[in-house]
Amino acid sequence: GQQVQQSPASLVLQEGENAELQCNFSSTATQLQWFYQRPGGSLVSLLYNPSGTKHTGRLTSTTVTKERRSSLHISSSQITDSGTYFCAMITGYQNFYFGKGTSLTVIP
Amino acid sequence: GPKVLQIPSHQIIDMGQMVTLNCDPVSNHLYFYWYKQILGQQMEFLVNFYNGKVMEKSKLFKDQFSVERPDGSYFTLKIQPTALEDSAVYFCASSPRDRAANERLFFGHGTKLSVL
């Protein structure tokens, strides 16, 4: 079946440090989307990035479709960035597959 | 931005009862999804739905589960009968799927189902 691998599983940073989250997928994804979830909260779409590099605020995503990978870079992390980050890919079968997420904790 | 609404936010029922989770997807969206998430764990795909039909379902989508969207009303997930292991947060999502292949996924806030 389709697989989405995210790394690291968890990450602890001091406020102000940068974070690099990775997503690798087992088959060619036609689309890729990064989400954020607070504990007990819903999923918030961060970036929709099927290919290339996209920016929004302190977030930068780079997706290399041929290499089946995507990254999410968070610059100057803040305490409010703490939560779980998911990547989800869609394949030709019109379904979104999620990774297990990266749990980010930003400490003062 | 576009919003997916889920009703109710929390449902508590006794094991064996029937439950219906309601989702009001973004208007003009064409694809609808249900995902299941047990606290702190991965988002698990259940089913997707397009043009009045189930397009794909996972092993988690047991025989006790059914989905429908009668006449453009709520997109519903019905579980009958419920089991203890059905306790989870159920997220509804919708996707536009327009000609530009704009396949962004929009999520509701989830319905927390507690089966006692």
Side-chain angles (χ1 to χ4, degrees):
Chain A
Q2 313 295 344
Q3 289 188 351
V4 180
Q5 305 286 345
Q6 287 189 247
S7 60
S10 63
L11 187 59
V12 180
L13 297 175
Q14 278 205 307
E15 197 172 11
E17 289 184 323
N18 299 330
E20 188 82 14
L21 283 57
Q22 302 292 337
C23 177
N24 293 276
F25 27 95
S26 61
S27 60
T28 302
T30 58
Q31 308 292 349
L32 190 124
Q33 196 166 350
W34 283 93
F35 292 89
Y36 166 75
Q37 185 181 39
R38 286 192 192 281
S42 184
L43 278 83
V44 175
S45 179
L46 297 175
L47 278 166
Y48 169 72
N49 185 21
S51 65
T53 299
K54 298 277 177 68
H55 305 274
T56 181
R58 294 182 291 108
L59 304 178
T60 301
S61 172
T62 299
T63 299
V64 184
T65 309
K66 287 183 182 177
E67 296 180 13
R68 302 178 183 175
R69 61 179 174 86
S70 181
S71 65
L72 180 68
H73 181 87
I74 306 172
S75 62
S76 303
S77 61
Q78 300 175 1
I79 294 172
T80 50
D81 294 334
S82 297
T84 304
Y85 292 79
F86 292 98
C87 72
M89 71 164 196
I90 188 168
T91 70
Y93 291 101
Q94 304 159 0
N95 184 24
F96 284 83
Y97 293 91
F98 281 79
K100 292 186 177 181
T102 293
S103 176
L104 174 65
T105 303
V106 181
I107 56 177
Chain B
K3 291 190 184 300
V4 175
L5 301 176
Q6 288 190 242
I7 302 165
S9 57
H10 193 183
Q11 180 93 43
I12 302 172
I13 59 169
D14 291 324
M15 184 177 65
Q17 283 190 318
M18 181 195 76
V19 68
T20 300
L21 308 183
N22 297 297
C23 172
D24 187 10
V26 178
S27 61
N28 299 323
H29 278 194
L30 301 177
Y31 280 84
F32 313 117
Y33 306 79
W34 283 103
Y35 284 84
K36 177 182 179 181
Q37 188 182 39
I38 294 173
L39 185 62
Q41 297 186 23
Q42 189 175 5
M43 294 286 288
E44 302 277 9
F45 166 74
L46 289 176
V47 64
N48 66 12
F49 191 84
Y50 170 74
N51 198 25
K53 298 175 187 174
V54 170
M55 301 300 291
E56 188 178 359
K57 56 186 180 181
S58 73
K59 292 178 183 178
L60 294 178
F61 194 79
K62 305 180 295 184
D63 290 342
Q64 297 90 328
F65 288 32
S66 63
V67 291
E68 63 175 355
R69 193 187 187 208
D71 299 326
S73 60
Y74 286 143
F75 174 51
T76 62
L77 173 65
K78 183 185 292 184
I79 308 174
Q80 181 179 25
T82 50
L84 294 176
E85 60 265 27
D86 296 331
S87 295
V89 179
Y90 290 82
F91 289 98
C92 174
S94 68
S95 171
R97 280 285 178 164
D98 60 20
R99 285 183 177 273
N102 182 14
E103 295 164 352
R104 300 184 196 204
L105 199 59
F106 295 84
F107 278 87
H109 286 278
T111 293
K112 183 177 180 180
L113 178 64
S114 299
V115 181
L116 307 178

